[in-house]
mmCIF file of all heavy atoms in Angstrom:
data_model
loop_
_atom_site.group_PDB
_atom_site.id
_atom_site.type_symbol
_atom_site.label_atom_id
_atom_site.label_comp_id
_atom_site.label_asym_id
_atom_site.label_seq_id
_atom_site.Cartn_x
_atom_site.Cartn_y
_atom_site.Cartn_z
ATOM 1 N N GLU A 1 0.829 -1.211 0.000
ATOM 2 C CA GLU A 1 0.000 0.000 0.000
ATOM 3 C C GLU A 1 0.858 1.253 0.000
ATOM 4 O O GLU A 1 0.531 2.247 -0.653
ATOM 5 C CB GLU A 1 -0.934 0.039 1.223
ATOM 6 C CG GLU A 1 -1.881 -1.112 1.336
ATOM 7 C CD GLU A 1 -1.276 -2.317 2.072
ATOM 8 O OE1 GLU A 1 -0.174 -2.223 2.641
ATOM 9 O OE2 GLU A 1 -1.923 -3.372 2.056
ATOM 10 N N GLY A 2 1.951 1.220 0.745
ATOM 11 C CA GLY A 2 2.852 2.367 0.817
ATOM 12 C C GLY A 2 3.490 2.677 -0.520
ATOM 13 O O GLY A 2 3.601 3.841 -0.912
ATOM 14 N N LYS A 3 3.899 1.636 -1.236
ATOM 15 C CA LYS A 3 4.494 1.845 -2.560
ATOM 16 C C LYS A 3 3.468 2.470 -3.493
ATOM 17 O O LYS A 3 3.778 3.403 -4.231
ATOM 18 C CB LYS A 3 5.007 0.534 -3.140
ATOM 19 C CG LYS A 3 5.646 0.735 -4.507
ATOM 20 C CD LYS A 3 6.210 -0.536 -5.081
ATOM 21 C CE LYS A 3 6.841 -0.259 -6.445
ATOM 22 N NZ LYS A 3 7.311 -1.475 -7.085
ATOM 23 N N GLN A 4 2.237 1.977 -3.445
ATOM 24 C CA GLN A 4 1.201 2.528 -4.317
ATOM 25 C C GLN A 4 0.926 3.987 -3.978
ATOM 26 O O GLN A 4 0.725 4.808 -4.869
ATOM 27 C CB GLN A 4 -0.091 1.708 -4.218
ATOM 28 C CG GLN A 4 -1.128 2.110 -5.248
ATOM 29 C CD GLN A 4 -0.608 2.011 -6.677
ATOM 30 O OE1 GLN A 4 -0.095 0.981 -7.091
ATOM 31 N NE2 GLN A 4 -0.721 3.105 -7.424
ATOM 32 N N LYS A 5 0.942 4.315 -2.706
ATOM 33 C CA LYS A 5 0.718 5.702 -2.277
ATOM 34 C C LYS A 5 1.809 6.618 -2.836
ATOM 35 O O LYS A 5 1.533 7.708 -3.326
ATOM 36 C CB LYS A 5 0.700 5.766 -0.745
ATOM 37 C CG LYS A 5 0.452 7.124 -0.169
ATOM 38 C CD LYS A 5 0.463 7.081 1.349
ATOM 39 C CE LYS A 5 0.498 8.460 1.950
ATOM 40 N NZ LYS A 5 0.693 8.458 3.388
ATOM 41 N N VAL A 6 3.064 6.157 -2.791
ATOM 42 C CA VAL A 6 4.182 6.947 -3.323
ATOM 43 C C VAL A 6 4.054 7.079 -4.837
ATOM 44 O O VAL A 6 4.244 8.164 -5.400
ATOM 45 C CB VAL A 6 5.543 6.334 -2.923
ATOM 46 C CG1 VAL A 6 6.686 7.038 -3.623
ATOM 47 C CG2 VAL A 6 5.730 6.403 -1.408
ATOM 48 N N LEU A 7 3.710 5.985 -5.525
ATOM 49 C CA LEU A 7 3.531 6.036 -6.978
ATOM 50 C C LEU A 7 2.401 6.992 -7.362
ATOM 51 O O LEU A 7 2.512 7.730 -8.352
ATOM 52 C CB LEU A 7 3.268 4.638 -7.536
ATOM 53 C CG LEU A 7 4.459 3.686 -7.523
ATOM 54 C CD1 LEU A 7 4.020 2.271 -7.913
ATOM 55 C CD2 LEU A 7 5.572 4.175 -8.419
ATOM 56 N N ASP A 8 1.326 7.004 -6.579
ATOM 57 C CA ASP A 8 0.214 7.920 -6.837
ATOM 58 C C ASP A 8 0.652 9.375 -6.662
ATOM 59 O O ASP A 8 0.265 10.247 -7.445
ATOM 60 C CB ASP A 8 -0.971 7.627 -5.903
ATOM 61 C CG ASP A 8 -1.660 6.313 -6.224
ATOM 62 O OD1 ASP A 8 -1.421 5.739 -7.307
ATOM 63 O OD2 ASP A 8 -2.439 5.847 -5.352
ATOM 64 N N GLU A 9 1.476 9.638 -5.632
ATOM 65 C CA GLU A 9 1.958 10.999 -5.421
ATOM 66 C C GLU A 9 2.884 11.431 -6.555
ATOM 67 O O GLU A 9 2.807 12.569 -7.027
ATOM 68 C CB GLU A 9 2.675 11.142 -4.074
ATOM 69 C CG GLU A 9 3.080 12.569 -3.785
ATOM 70 C CD GLU A 9 3.710 12.799 -2.425
ATOM 71 O OE1 GLU A 9 3.716 11.878 -1.590
ATOM 72 O OE2 GLU A 9 4.206 13.922 -2.209
ATOM 73 N N ILE A 10 3.755 10.536 -7.007
ATOM 74 C CA ILE A 10 4.637 10.846 -8.140
ATOM 75 C C ILE A 10 3.799 11.187 -9.367
ATOM 76 O O ILE A 10 4.062 12.184 -10.063
ATOM 77 C CB ILE A 10 5.591 9.664 -8.433
ATOM 78 C CG1 ILE A 10 6.654 9.555 -7.337
ATOM 79 C CG2 ILE A 10 6.246 9.823 -9.809
ATOM 80 C CD1 ILE A 10 7.513 8.301 -7.417
ATOM 81 N N ASP A 11 2.787 10.380 -9.632
ATOM 82 C CA ASP A 11 1.899 10.605 -10.770
ATOM 83 C C ASP A 11 1.216 11.965 -10.666
ATOM 84 O O ASP A 11 1.145 12.722 -11.636
ATOM 85 C CB ASP A 11 0.869 9.472 -10.840
ATOM 86 C CG ASP A 11 0.068 9.495 -12.118
ATOM 87 O OD1 ASP A 11 0.692 9.473 -13.205
ATOM 88 O OD2 ASP A 11 -1.180 9.522 -12.033
ATOM 89 N N HIS A 12 0.731 12.307 -9.480
ATOM 90 C CA HIS A 12 0.067 13.597 -9.255
ATOM 91 C C HIS A 12 1.041 14.757 -9.479
ATOM 92 O O HIS A 12 0.684 15.750 -10.119
ATOM 93 C CB HIS A 12 -0.512 13.643 -7.835
ATOM 94 C CG HIS A 12 -1.126 14.955 -7.495
ATOM 95 N ND1 HIS A 12 -2.370 15.343 -7.935
ATOM 96 C CD2 HIS A 12 -0.648 16.004 -6.758
ATOM 97 C CE1 HIS A 12 -2.633 16.544 -7.486
ATOM 98 N NE2 HIS A 12 -1.611 16.978 -6.776
ATOM 99 N N LEU A 13 2.252 14.632 -8.946
ATOM 100 C CA LEU A 13 3.234 15.712 -9.104
ATOM 101 C C LEU A 13 3.592 15.925 -10.570
ATOM 102 O O LEU A 13 3.752 17.070 -11.017
ATOM 103 C CB LEU A 13 4.493 15.410 -8.285
ATOM 104 C CG LEU A 13 4.330 15.470 -6.767
ATOM 105 C CD1 LEU A 13 5.597 14.987 -6.081
ATOM 106 C CD2 LEU A 13 3.976 16.873 -6.307
ATOM 107 N N LYS A 14 3.707 14.837 -11.323
ATOM 108 C CA LYS A 14 4.084 14.945 -12.735
ATOM 109 C C LYS A 14 2.932 15.427 -13.618
ATOM 110 O O LYS A 14 3.134 16.251 -14.505
ATOM 111 C CB LYS A 14 4.573 13.591 -13.259
ATOM 112 C CG LYS A 14 5.958 13.234 -12.800
ATOM 113 C CD LYS A 14 6.387 11.909 -13.403
ATOM 114 C CE LYS A 14 7.827 11.588 -13.030
ATOM 115 N NZ LYS A 14 8.249 10.293 -13.617
ATOM 116 N N LYS A 15 1.735 14.889 -13.386
ATOM 117 C CA LYS A 15 0.616 15.154 -14.296
ATOM 118 C C LYS A 15 -0.255 16.349 -13.902
ATOM 119 O O LYS A 15 -0.942 16.901 -14.750
ATOM 120 C CB LYS A 15 -0.264 13.912 -14.423
ATOM 121 C CG LYS A 15 0.453 12.768 -15.124
ATOM 122 C CD LYS A 15 -0.444 11.564 -15.242
ATOM 123 C CE LYS A 15 0.280 10.438 -15.974
ATOM 124 N NZ LYS A 15 -0.509 9.208 -15.999
ATOM 125 N N VAL A 16 -0.232 16.717 -12.628
ATOM 126 C CA VAL A 16 -1.088 17.816 -12.179
ATOM 127 C C VAL A 16 -0.251 19.025 -11.752
ATOM 128 O O VAL A 16 -0.413 20.126 -12.286
ATOM 129 C CB VAL A 16 -2.013 17.371 -11.017
ATOM 130 C CG1 VAL A 16 -2.834 18.542 -10.504
ATOM 131 C CG2 VAL A 16 -2.917 16.234 -11.463
ATOM 132 N N GLU A 17 0.631 18.816 -10.794
ATOM 133 C CA GLU A 17 1.391 19.940 -10.249
ATOM 134 C C GLU A 17 2.393 20.538 -11.235
ATOM 135 O O GLU A 17 2.504 21.757 -11.334
ATOM 136 C CB GLU A 17 2.109 19.524 -8.963
ATOM 137 C CG GLU A 17 1.173 19.242 -7.806
ATOM 138 C CD GLU A 17 0.296 20.421 -7.415
ATOM 139 O OE1 GLU A 17 0.784 21.575 -7.390
ATOM 140 O OE2 GLU A 17 -0.897 20.192 -7.143
ATOM 141 N N ARG A 18 3.133 19.692 -11.944
ATOM 142 C CA ARG A 18 4.154 20.196 -12.880
ATOM 143 C C ARG A 18 3.519 21.088 -13.955
ATOM 144 O O ARG A 18 3.979 22.224 -14.159
ATOM 145 C CB ARG A 18 4.922 19.039 -13.501
ATOM 146 C CG ARG A 18 6.123 19.465 -14.299
ATOM 147 C CD ARG A 18 6.810 18.264 -14.909
ATOM 148 N NE ARG A 18 7.862 17.758 -14.044
ATOM 149 C CZ ARG A 18 8.472 16.582 -14.225
ATOM 150 N NH1 ARG A 18 8.107 15.789 -15.222
ATOM 151 N NH2 ARG A 18 9.434 16.207 -13.429
ATOM 152 N N PRO A 19 2.453 20.648 -14.643
ATOM 153 C CA PRO A 19 1.833 21.531 -15.645
ATOM 154 C C PRO A 19 1.242 22.802 -15.026
ATOM 155 O O PRO A 19 1.305 23.880 -15.628
ATOM 156 C CB PRO A 19 0.723 20.672 -16.254
ATOM 157 C CG PRO A 19 1.121 19.264 -15.978
ATOM 158 C CD PRO A 19 1.874 19.309 -14.684
ATOM 159 N N LYS A 20 0.675 22.670 -13.828
ATOM 160 C CA LYS A 20 0.090 23.830 -13.142
ATOM 161 C C LYS A 20 1.161 24.876 -12.847
ATOM 162 O O LYS A 20 0.966 26.070 -13.096
ATOM 163 C CB LYS A 20 -0.571 23.357 -11.840
ATOM 164 C CG LYS A 20 -1.220 24.428 -11.023
ATOM 165 C CD LYS A 20 -1.856 23.801 -9.787
ATOM 166 C CE LYS A 20 -2.063 24.815 -8.704
ATOM 167 N NZ LYS A 20 -2.503 24.198 -7.454
ATOM 168 N N VAL A 21 2.308 24.435 -12.348
ATOM 169 C CA VAL A 21 3.391 25.358 -12.026
ATOM 170 C C VAL A 21 3.968 25.965 -13.303
ATOM 171 O O VAL A 21 4.283 27.162 -13.344
ATOM 172 C CB VAL A 21 4.493 24.654 -11.198
ATOM 173 C CG1 VAL A 21 5.705 25.542 -11.031
ATOM 174 C CG2 VAL A 21 3.949 24.249 -9.835
ATOM 175 N N SER A 22 4.090 25.171 -14.350
ATOM 176 C CA SER A 22 4.588 25.699 -15.634
ATOM 177 C C SER A 22 3.685 26.812 -16.147
ATOM 178 O O SER A 22 4.162 27.836 -16.655
ATOM 179 C CB SER A 22 4.675 24.592 -16.674
ATOM 180 O OG SER A 22 5.686 23.692 -16.338
ATOM 181 N N LYS A 23 2.389 26.616 -16.000
ATOM 182 C CA LYS A 23 1.435 27.643 -16.435
ATOM 183 C C LYS A 23 1.578 28.908 -15.583
ATOM 184 O O LYS A 23 1.523 30.022 -16.104
ATOM 185 C CB LYS A 23 0.008 27.099 -16.349
ATOM 186 C CG LYS A 23 -1.024 28.035 -16.906
ATOM 187 C CD LYS A 23 -2.406 27.426 -16.904
ATOM 188 C CE LYS A 23 -3.377 28.427 -17.479
ATOM 189 N NZ LYS A 23 -4.742 27.978 -17.419
ATOM 190 N N GLU A 24 1.781 28.732 -14.266
ATOM 191 C CA GLU A 24 1.974 29.885 -13.383
ATOM 192 C C GLU A 24 3.221 30.668 -13.780
ATOM 193 O O GLU A 24 3.218 31.900 -13.766
ATOM 194 C CB GLU A 24 2.076 29.430 -11.929
ATOM 195 C CG GLU A 24 0.781 28.936 -11.342
ATOM 196 C CD GLU A 24 0.934 28.347 -9.950
ATOM 197 O OE1 GLU A 24 2.014 28.490 -9.338
ATOM 198 O OE2 GLU A 24 -0.030 27.726 -9.465
ATOM 199 N N ILE A 25 4.293 29.967 -14.138
ATOM 200 C CA ILE A 25 5.532 30.627 -14.558
ATOM 201 C C ILE A 25 5.297 31.390 -15.862
ATOM 202 O O ILE A 25 5.720 32.544 -16.011
ATOM 203 C CB ILE A 25 6.687 29.597 -14.706
ATOM 204 C CG1 ILE A 25 7.097 29.076 -13.335
ATOM 205 C CG2 ILE A 25 7.875 30.215 -15.436
ATOM 206 C CD1 ILE A 25 8.070 27.912 -13.374
ATOM 207 N N GLU A 26 4.608 30.743 -16.783
ATOM 208 C CA GLU A 26 4.311 31.380 -18.075
ATOM 209 C C GLU A 26 3.488 32.652 -17.884
ATOM 210 O O GLU A 26 3.776 33.687 -18.494
ATOM 211 C CB GLU A 26 3.549 30.374 -18.940
ATOM 212 C CG GLU A 26 3.290 30.834 -20.359
ATOM 213 C CD GLU A 26 2.545 29.776 -21.143
ATOM 214 O OE1 GLU A 26 2.908 28.591 -21.052
ATOM 215 O OE2 GLU A 26 1.591 30.163 -21.858
ATOM 216 N N GLU A 27 2.464 32.588 -17.030
ATOM 217 C CA GLU A 27 1.634 33.768 -16.768
ATOM 218 C C GLU A 27 2.430 34.873 -16.089
ATOM 219 O O GLU A 27 2.265 36.047 -16.400
ATOM 220 C CB GLU A 27 0.427 33.381 -15.914
ATOM 221 C CG GLU A 27 -0.598 32.552 -16.645
ATOM 222 C CD GLU A 27 -1.705 32.032 -15.747
ATOM 223 O OE1 GLU A 27 -1.704 32.316 -14.523
ATOM 224 O OE2 GLU A 27 -2.582 31.315 -16.265
ATOM 225 N N ALA A 28 3.308 34.506 -15.172
ATOM 226 C CA ALA A 28 4.112 35.507 -14.470
ATOM 227 C C ALA A 28 5.109 36.173 -15.421
ATOM 228 O O ALA A 28 5.376 37.377 -15.302
ATOM 229 C CB ALA A 28 4.842 34.857 -13.302
ATOM 230 N N ARG A 29 5.652 35.397 -16.366
ATOM 231 C CA ARG A 29 6.587 35.969 -17.356
ATOM 232 C C ARG A 29 5.899 37.031 -18.206
ATOM 233 O O ARG A 29 6.527 38.006 -18.624
ATOM 234 C CB ARG A 29 7.110 34.873 -18.281
ATOM 235 C CG ARG A 29 8.271 34.145 -17.743
ATOM 236 C CD ARG A 29 8.877 33.281 -18.836
ATOM 237 N NE ARG A 29 10.063 32.631 -18.313
ATOM 238 C CZ ARG A 29 10.391 31.385 -18.544
ATOM 239 N NH1 ARG A 29 9.625 30.628 -19.324
ATOM 240 N NH2 ARG A 29 11.475 30.867 -18.035
ATOM 241 N N ALA A 30 4.624 36.830 -18.458
ATOM 242 C CA ALA A 30 3.867 37.769 -19.293
ATOM 243 C C ALA A 30 3.716 39.136 -18.635
ATOM 244 O O ALA A 30 3.430 40.123 -19.306
ATOM 245 C CB ALA A 30 2.498 37.194 -19.620
ATOM 246 N N HIS A 31 3.958 39.213 -17.342
ATOM 247 C CA HIS A 31 3.818 40.489 -16.625
ATOM 248 C C HIS A 31 5.023 41.400 -16.799
ATOM 249 O O HIS A 31 5.041 42.495 -16.271
ATOM 250 C CB HIS A 31 3.574 40.247 -15.136
ATOM 251 C CG HIS A 31 2.264 39.595 -14.861
ATOM 252 N ND1 HIS A 31 2.065 38.793 -13.779
ATOM 253 C CD2 HIS A 31 1.073 39.606 -15.527
ATOM 254 C CE1 HIS A 31 0.810 38.343 -13.789
ATOM 255 N NE2 HIS A 31 0.197 38.830 -14.842
ATOM 256 N N GLY A 32 6.047 40.918 -17.488
ATOM 257 C CA GLY A 32 7.182 41.804 -17.779
ATOM 258 C C GLY A 32 8.425 41.496 -16.984
ATOM 259 O O GLY A 32 8.770 40.336 -16.778
ATOM 260 N N ASP A 33 9.106 42.551 -16.552
ATOM 261 C CA ASP A 33 10.420 42.486 -15.881
ATOM 262 C C ASP A 33 10.479 41.385 -14.821
ATOM 263 O O ASP A 33 9.789 41.439 -13.811
ATOM 264 C CB ASP A 33 10.712 43.842 -15.249
ATOM 265 C CG ASP A 33 12.093 43.910 -14.621
ATOM 266 O OD1 ASP A 33 12.932 43.019 -14.910
ATOM 267 O OD2 ASP A 33 12.343 44.840 -13.842
ATOM 268 N N LEU A 34 11.320 40.377 -15.071
ATOM 269 C CA LEU A 34 11.408 39.227 -14.167
ATOM 270 C C LEU A 34 12.182 39.528 -12.894
ATOM 271 O O LEU A 34 11.986 38.879 -11.878
ATOM 272 C CB LEU A 34 12.047 38.036 -14.895
ATOM 273 C CG LEU A 34 11.294 37.514 -16.110
ATOM 274 C CD1 LEU A 34 12.033 36.318 -16.712
ATOM 275 C CD2 LEU A 34 9.882 37.119 -15.747
ATOM 276 N N SER A 35 13.062 40.517 -12.933
ATOM 277 C CA SER A 35 13.896 40.794 -11.754
ATOM 278 C C SER A 35 13.079 41.295 -10.565
ATOM 279 O O SER A 35 13.465 41.104 -9.424
ATOM 280 C CB SER A 35 14.997 41.797 -12.100
ATOM 281 O OG SER A 35 14.423 43.043 -12.445
ATOM 282 N N GLU A 36 11.945 41.950 -10.839
ATOM 283 C CA GLU A 36 11.118 42.467 -9.742
ATOM 284 C C GLU A 36 9.725 41.833 -9.745
ATOM 285 O O GLU A 36 8.789 42.394 -9.205
ATOM 286 C CB GLU A 36 10.999 43.985 -9.869
ATOM 287 C CG GLU A 36 12.329 44.689 -9.694
ATOM 288 C CD GLU A 36 12.195 46.191 -9.826
ATOM 289 O OE1 GLU A 36 11.073 46.718 -9.707
ATOM 290 O OE2 GLU A 36 13.229 46.834 -10.037
ATOM 291 N N ASN A 37 9.619 40.653 -10.323
ATOM 292 C CA ASN A 37 8.330 39.991 -10.466
ATOM 293 C C ASN A 37 8.183 38.925 -9.377
ATOM 294 O O ASN A 37 8.689 37.815 -9.495
ATOM 295 C CB ASN A 37 8.257 39.372 -11.877
ATOM 296 C CG ASN A 37 6.893 38.819 -12.196
ATOM 297 O OD1 ASN A 37 6.168 38.388 -11.309
ATOM 298 N ND2 ASN A 37 6.560 38.803 -13.481
ATOM 299 N N ALA A 38 7.480 39.262 -8.311
ATOM 300 C CA ALA A 38 7.314 38.363 -7.171
ATOM 301 C C ALA A 38 6.550 37.088 -7.553
ATOM 302 O O ALA A 38 6.866 35.999 -7.057
ATOM 303 C CB ALA A 38 6.592 39.072 -6.035
ATOM 304 N N GLU A 39 5.572 37.222 -8.444
ATOM 305 C CA GLU A 39 4.806 36.046 -8.877
ATOM 306 C C GLU A 39 5.708 35.049 -9.590
ATOM 307 O O GLU A 39 5.587 33.844 -9.394
ATOM 308 C CB GLU A 39 3.661 36.464 -9.804
ATOM 309 C CG GLU A 39 2.545 37.203 -9.106
ATOM 310 C CD GLU A 39 1.500 37.717 -10.079
ATOM 311 O OE1 GLU A 39 1.624 37.474 -11.303
ATOM 312 O OE2 GLU A 39 0.561 38.359 -9.613
ATOM 313 N N TYR A 40 6.617 35.574 -10.420
ATOM 314 C CA TYR A 40 7.539 34.708 -11.148
ATOM 315 C C TYR A 40 8.463 33.978 -10.175
ATOM 316 O O TYR A 40 8.645 32.766 -10.269
ATOM 317 C CB TYR A 40 8.362 35.537 -12.143
ATOM 318 C CG TYR A 40 9.450 34.751 -12.829
ATOM 319 C CD1 TYR A 40 9.143 33.871 -13.858
ATOM 320 C CD2 TYR A 40 10.778 34.874 -12.435
ATOM 321 C CE1 TYR A 40 10.134 33.138 -14.484
ATOM 322 C CE2 TYR A 40 11.774 34.143 -13.044
ATOM 323 C CZ TYR A 40 11.447 33.277 -14.077
ATOM 324 O OH TYR A 40 12.426 32.546 -14.689
ATOM 325 N N HIS A 41 9.024 34.702 -9.229
ATOM 326 C CA HIS A 41 9.944 34.079 -8.261
ATOM 327 C C HIS A 41 9.223 33.054 -7.384
ATOM 328 O O HIS A 41 9.780 32.002 -7.069
ATOM 329 C CB HIS A 41 10.639 35.152 -7.417
ATOM 330 C CG HIS A 41 11.568 36.009 -8.221
ATOM 331 N ND1 HIS A 41 12.741 35.527 -8.745
ATOM 332 C CD2 HIS A 41 11.473 37.298 -8.616
ATOM 333 C CE1 HIS A 41 13.347 36.485 -9.422
ATOM 334 N NE2 HIS A 41 12.595 37.568 -9.359
ATOM 335 N N ALA A 42 7.987 33.340 -7.004
ATOM 336 C CA ALA A 42 7.212 32.393 -6.196
ATOM 337 C C ALA A 42 6.917 31.125 -7.002
ATOM 338 O O ALA A 42 7.027 30.008 -6.480
ATOM 339 C CB ALA A 42 5.907 33.037 -5.735
ATOM 340 N N ALA A 43 6.573 31.297 -8.273
ATOM 341 C CA ALA A 43 6.280 30.140 -9.120
ATOM 342 C C ALA A 43 7.538 29.306 -9.350
ATOM 343 O O ALA A 43 7.484 28.074 -9.350
ATOM 344 C CB ALA A 43 5.687 30.606 -10.451
ATOM 345 N N ARG A 44 8.687 29.951 -9.527
ATOM 346 C CA ARG A 44 9.946 29.222 -9.706
ATOM 347 C C ARG A 44 10.311 28.464 -8.425
ATOM 348 O O ARG A 44 10.804 27.342 -8.477
ATOM 349 C CB ARG A 44 11.086 30.180 -10.100
ATOM 350 C CG ARG A 44 10.969 30.798 -11.469
ATOM 351 C CD ARG A 44 11.238 29.823 -12.546
ATOM 352 N NE ARG A 44 12.583 29.299 -12.343
ATOM 353 C CZ ARG A 44 13.260 28.595 -13.206
ATOM 354 N NH1 ARG A 44 12.718 28.308 -14.360
ATOM 355 N NH2 ARG A 44 14.463 28.160 -12.942
ATOM 356 N N GLU A 45 10.063 29.085 -7.282
ATOM 357 C CA GLU A 45 10.315 28.423 -5.997
ATOM 358 C C GLU A 45 9.422 27.190 -5.861
ATOM 359 O O GLU A 45 9.870 26.119 -5.453
ATOM 360 C CB GLU A 45 10.047 29.398 -4.846
ATOM 361 C CG GLU A 45 10.163 28.797 -3.474
ATOM 362 C CD GLU A 45 11.601 28.593 -3.013
ATOM 363 O OE1 GLU A 45 12.503 29.203 -3.590
ATOM 364 O OE2 GLU A 45 11.798 27.812 -2.070
#
């Protein structure tokens, strides 16, 4: 059961969280200057 739980979390991180964060980074980049863009830095973190 523990292995399946870890595999499910890996799947979630790859298929849900990774694309979501990529979209957040893309949207933050659209706001302009990255050096002072808090949304961009938060998304990268």
Side-chain angles (χ1 to χ4, degrees):
E1 301 87 9
K3 181 178 180 184
Q4 188 57 53
K5 181 180 168 188
V6 172
L7 289 172
D8 290 346
E9 185 176 352
I10 288 171
D11 190 55
H12 176 78
L13 291 173
K14 284 182 176 180
K15 293 180 179 175
V16 176
E17 292 301 319
R18 189 181 268 168
K20 180 179 159 188
V21 172
S22 291
K23 186 176 180 185
E24 289 174 11
I25 290 171
E26 186 179 315
E27 289 173 1
R29 275 191 177 139
H31 294 151
D33 184 15
L34 299 181
S35 64
E36 295 180 18
N37 188 331
E39 289 174 2
Y40 173 77
H41 293 291
R44 292 288 301 192
E45 175 77 18

